[in-house]
Amino acid sequence: MKTFLLFIFIFVFFFFFGQNVDQLIIKKVNEYRKENLLPPLCYSEKAKIANKQMLNYMVETSTIPLDHSQKIHTSNPKTFDNFIDRINYVYNFDYICVGENLCTFIKLSTDEECATMALNVWKNSPLHNKLLLSGRYDGICVGSKTSNKITQGGVTYTNGDIFYCVLTMFK
């Protein structure tokens, strides 16, 4: 009986408290979509390809490329002048549509706070919100990392933990 209760406790703990920030963001995005009478998005391995590429780029360059390009050389051997060139290269034209939201901010205390902040940043931006509420997609991937620096206007700042996040929607 004690073993059974311990198993139940471990299951409940990981179910309710074992979600990482990326999973929490997906959960919050799907709750927001449900509030707006849209179907939930399912995790997509294909979405992860572009997501991982952009997230690594943001952390390696300490930037948030507002045009979603990759113009600075990094460990990725190729650069891209715009979003469409990057997506066509990554997927070799094997997609119907891909959308991407980026954000960065000083890391907050908890994963829950970071997930809420990321969603609020996107909800309060008309173009990012439009992507969240689009019916064109069925897949999603969220990736995030923390770094100790960010570059703005050519100046690099190292002032605490910076939270970088990429949401990729895919079909």
Side-chain angles (χ1 to χ4, degrees):
M1 183 66 170
K2 288 181 184 179
T3 304
F4 178 73
L5 290 175
L6 180 61
F7 174 76
I8 295 293
F9 173 76
I10 291 171
F11 174 78
V12 168
F13 178 82
F14 281 107
F15 182 78
F16 288 104
F17 301 105
Q19 294 181 318
N20 67 28
V21 67
D22 301 341
Q23 293 165 329
L24 286 170
I25 293 170
I26 291 172
K27 179 181 172 187
K28 288 179 178 294
V29 166
N30 280 330
E31 288 170 354
Y32 181 55
R33 289 175 60 84
K34 184 178 178 181
E35 290 169 10
N36 287 276
L37 307 176
L38 291 165
L41 301 167
C42 297
Y43 173 79
S44 168
E45 277 293 322
K46 277 197 120 174
K48 184 177 180 177
I49 298 167
N51 186 280
K52 183 177 178 182
Q53 181 198 29
M54 178 51 79
L55 182 61
N56 287 338
Y57 178 83
M58 288 169 57
V59 172
E60 285 182 36
T61 62
S62 304
T63 63
I64 182 165
L66 298 178
D67 62 356
H68 300 256
S69 67
Q70 293 185 352
K71 296 175 183 172
I72 302 170
H73 289 277
T74 64
S75 62
N76 183 354
K78 188 146 175 61
T79 59
F80 306 96
D81 289 329
N82 58 58
F83 176 75
I84 292 173
D85 288 348
R86 181 171 65 86
I87 294 303
N88 287 339
Y89 176 81
V90 169
Y91 292 112
N92 197 27
F93 298 92
D94 184 25
Y95 65 93
I96 295 171
C97 53
V98 177
E100 187 173 75
N101 283 352
L102 312 176
C103 71
T104 186
F105 47 84
I106 299 290
K107 185 167 183 336
L108 302 170
S109 299
T110 68
D111 286 350
E112 180 71 31
E113 291 172 324
C114 287
T116 299
M117 174 65 90
L119 182 63
N120 286 337
V121 165
W122 295 326
K123 283 170 54 176
N124 291 318
S125 166
L127 292 176
H128 292 96
N129 190 54
K130 184 176 180 180
L131 180 67
L132 293 175
L133 298 178
S134 174
R136 297 177 64 191
Y137 305 92
D138 55 19
I140 187 171
C141 180
V142 172
S144 64
K145 288 185 179 180
T146 302
S147 174
N148 68 342
K149 60 184 176 176
I150 188 165
T151 301
Q152 293 179 323
V155 178
T156 300
Y157 300 92
T158 55
N159 56 348
D161 289 333
I162 307 298
F163 182 80
Y164 290 92
C165 186
V166 178
L167 173 144
T168 307
M169 292 171 60
F170 189 89
K171 182 162 186 134

